[in-house]
Amino acid sequence: MRGPNILFLGIAAFSNSIQASFDHYDFGNIPHDHVVFGPGGIPSNWTLDHPTSNLTSTHSTHLKRHAIPKTHLTSSNVSPYAPQKLSTRATNCTANTATRRDCWSDGFDIDTNYDETWPNTGTTVTYDWTITNTTCNPDGSGDRICLLVNNQYPGPTLEANWGDTISVTVRNNLTNNGTSIHWHGVRQLNNNGMDGTNGLTECPIAPGQSETYTWQATQYGTSWYHSHYSAQYGDGVSGPIVINGPATANYDIDLGAMPVTDWYYTPAFTVSRLYNTSLQAGSAAPEADTILINGTNGLNGGSYNVVNFQSGKVHRMRLINTGVDAQLRVSIDGHNMTVIAADFVPITPITADSVLLGNGQRYDVLINATETSSNYWMRAIAETACQSATNTSAQAIIRYEGASETNPTTNTSVTTSSCSAPGTLVPHVSIVAGNATAFRIQAQALDVDTYYEGVTSDSEGLIFWGVNTTNIDIQWDIPTLEYVRTGNTSYPTTANLVELPTSGIWTYWIIQEVIGGNITVAHPMHLHGHDFFILGSGTGTFNATTDADSLTYDNPPRRDTTILPAGGWQVLAFPTDNPGAWLFHCHIAWHIGMGLGVQFLESKNDISIPSQFQTQCAAWQQYDGGVTTLYRQDDSGL
């Protein structure tokens, strides 16, 4: 059995300050930036003599061997290195009504831990989507090239109930593009091949080909789907997901999904290239031309989206940031919001005058229509505190029943300017994410920054985003699951792959934007296949010696997308309970396009390969190897 590891993953060389904070560990001859502490658990011959205080390194050439008393594990004598789960409580709830939104069906309600159990409805919800080249004009500024699902923008809403099976056939009728569809935030438990991440879980769907994605809704709430083929989703290949289920507060009317996004008049692939050019020159990224609310904006000659309110009723609105760059602050003039879910996770309700959504984030909010019957502006504004290059906004109309069909004249009272959540997000179902002892043994780090590299053959890519000085650069024609299928462990360096071979343990990740790096900017970080637990966050450099005990292990916030503060850090945790090749990446399209990502290969021997995997790859290889193929991969492919 191998000794414990500590892996430092980052976008810049491992910083001296972080290295110093880990000097109480003795790594022998293993470089600090190549060590992973914990994915293999604690072997019998590698232990600590004390969980918190006696961790001083003697800088010898071997890791120290000590004995750890069982009393130091947890107060309940349960290993801190295995996930601790909340037992499901059966209830008498049988129906979800306006006065009992906590209920769902017999045995399942808001107290059910959906990581452990979920309904099996026996219902399969089927969709058939075709992606085509076309044009669109969402804000009235003029037609531009768009790539749309069923000729709609936003794409059609995928709606199902908790426990349903979803089957979506995606037909690629694009002229010169492959594609794939990722179901953002969907856990895909034991179903990695349906994650829709080309280069990891599949080859792209070639033009003229189709793929049927099948998965069960083990979670509930609000999310979205999008292509994962470079920056393609910025041209329109995205749409909402609504999985009906219980809630932590009552409401009368579900208004459905409300996507908000930045929008460029220039096609996304072109903007991505312009961003690369700007990065090399040290200049600002391209600015979005407008913001859209539910696919439209009236500020440039288009129409305003209208949302109808009924006086005296509580309305549920499912907010989603489907953008490629800007973090967006959403508010409604004269109204507060009650936040009841963050991403797919139900939370203890909190009240806010606005919510900030990073790219890929969702908030389910309730709005009580108790104001004077009139028209009110709903606003989506690019949050400058998140260092986005975009500085523009969008408006939609909240129209009370009986109000005149005129534009509002209201003003906002929101003065908040920050790049953080609307308050403390407390998950309704409480889960303990290990403890400080487990953290100290499992701690792994991921640095975020830009790097310099030598001149490439095409004189491009001198500066790139990456993790642990490596920018991820996948192979569309040889995805990670092909390595798994054939038993090939010679992964390319640019796969930026971290193996997590042992199931049933906690892993801890220190995400650090390197202080003094080339660019300081907030990053919306998204993990596939898991919700992560956010143990702590701060500015400056994380210090493992002093900060471990200040982290929150007892029911910390959890979600699938979090905002890494500019020039700051976050500590994330997740258990290895879902075999697969899972991507962890910045959801700014230009950043992941230039490599800001890492993939976790979790319990590879337990991964199931879909039946269509080889056929789809063969079709892609035939297309991509053809002499008439117009566009080749010129970025990370993600």
Side-chain angles (χ1 to χ4, degrees), residues 123-172:
T123 298
T124 298
V125 181
T126 303
Y127 291 90
D128 195 307
W129 295 343
T130 300
I131 306 176
T132 56
N133 290 73
T134 184
T135 59
C136 65
N137 181 15
D139 73 339
S141 63
D143 287 342
R144 57 151 288 188
I145 295 172
C146 293
L147 310 178
L148 302 184
V149 181
N150 287 5
N151 206 36
Q152 296 176 226
Y153 187 75
T157 297
L158 187 160
E159 184 172 2
N161 290 327
W162 186 24
D164 286 351
T165 296
I166 290 93
S167 178
V168 184
T169 297
V170 177
R171 306 179 190 277
N172 182 5

Side-chain angles (χ1 to χ4, degrees), residues 317-551:
M317 185 179 291
R318 302 168 180 265
L319 298 169
I320 315 165
N321 184 344
T322 63
V324 293
D325 181 70
Q327 329 302 311
L328 301 175
R329 181 168 298 282
V330 177
S331 64
I332 298 175
D333 291 358
H335 297 74
N336 284 329
M337 303 175 176
T338 300
V339 185
I340 62 170
D343 298 348
F344 270 135
V345 179
I347 66 170
T348 301
I350 57 175
T351 300
D353 61 5
S354 63
V355 292
L356 173 74
L357 295 105
N359 304 87
Q361 288 188 323
R362 296 89 65 204
Y363 285 110
D364 286 34
V365 300
L366 305 183
I367 306 102
N368 196 354
T370 56
E371 299 302 313
T372 302
S373 180
S374 186
N375 296 294
Y376 299 84
W377 286 123
M378 174 181 175
R379 303 174 189 271
I381 301 172
E383 178 55 81
T384 56
C386 297
Q387 299 84 39
S388 169
T390 296
N391 186 21
T392 187
S393 64
Q395 295 170 201
I397 298 174
I398 301 296
R399 178 164 292 150
Y400 274 64
E401 186 178 33
S404 62
E405 295 186 7
T406 57
N407 288 345
T409 58
T410 56
N411 298 306
T412 183
S413 60
V414 174
T415 59
T416 303
S417 180
S418 70
C419 198
S420 58
T424 302
L425 307 178
V426 180
H428 178 79
V429 174
S430 179
I431 301 177
V432 177
N435 55 34
T437 301
F439 170 80
R440 291 182 187 279
I441 293 175
Q442 300 285 110
Q444 309 175 42
L446 299 151
D447 289 348
V448 175
D449 194 10
T450 52
Y451 303 107
Y452 292 91
E453 68 175 356
V455 177
T456 59
S457 58
D458 57 3
S459 300
E460 294 179 348
L462 300 179
I463 304 174
F464 62 89
W465 286 101
V467 172
N468 283 355
T469 71
T470 299
N471 58 319
I472 193 170
D473 187 3
I474 54 84
Q475 300 167 281
W476 280 339
D477 58 336
I478 312 177
T480 304
L481 290 195
E482 176 64 9
Y483 287 84
V484 173
R485 188 186 72 83
T486 59
N488 183 358
T489 58
S490 298
Y491 312 114
T493 301
T494 54
N496 224 6
L497 184 147
V498 179
E499 283 211 59
L500 303 177
T502 305
S503 63
I505 63 169
W506 282 101
T507 64
Y508 298 88
W509 308 90
I510 302 163
I511 319 300
Q512 174 77 61
E513 184 170 66
V514 173
I515 306 303
N518 302 301
I519 298 176
T520 300
V521 63
H523 297 275
M525 304 298 294
H526 170 56
L527 176 62
H528 295 207
H530 294 272
D531 286 333
F532 43 60
F533 296 68
I534 306 171
L535 307 187
S537 182
T539 56
T541 300
F542 178 80
N543 187 300
T545 303
T546 59
D547 290 337
D549 292 323
S550 67
L551 300 176

Side-chain angles (χ1 to χ4, degrees), residues 146-229:
C146 293
L147 310 178
L148 302 184
V149 181
N150 287 5
N151 206 36
Q152 296 176 226
Y153 187 75
T157 297
L158 187 160
E159 184 172 2
N161 290 327
W162 186 24
D164 286 351
T165 296
I166 290 93
S167 178
V168 184
T169 297
V170 177
R171 306 179 190 277
N172 182 5
N173 281 6
L174 297 171
T175 306
N176 294 299
N177 270 232
T179 196
S180 69
I181 297 295
H182 170 59
W183 318 94
H184 187 104
V186 174
R187 188 180 180 197
Q188 301 291 2
L189 181 63
N190 299 313
N191 197 31
N192 180 234
M194 294 291 109
D195 191 53
T197 309
N198 48 215
L200 274 71
T201 64
E202 64 180 79
C203 293
I205 308 168
Q209 301 295 314
S210 66
E211 178 179 3
T212 298
Y213 295 91
T214 303
W215 46 275
Q216 187 177 17
T218 61
Q219 306 145 286
Y220 56 85
T222 305
S223 196
W224 61 304
Y225 60 85
H226 60 86
S227 64
H228 228 303
Y229 186 87

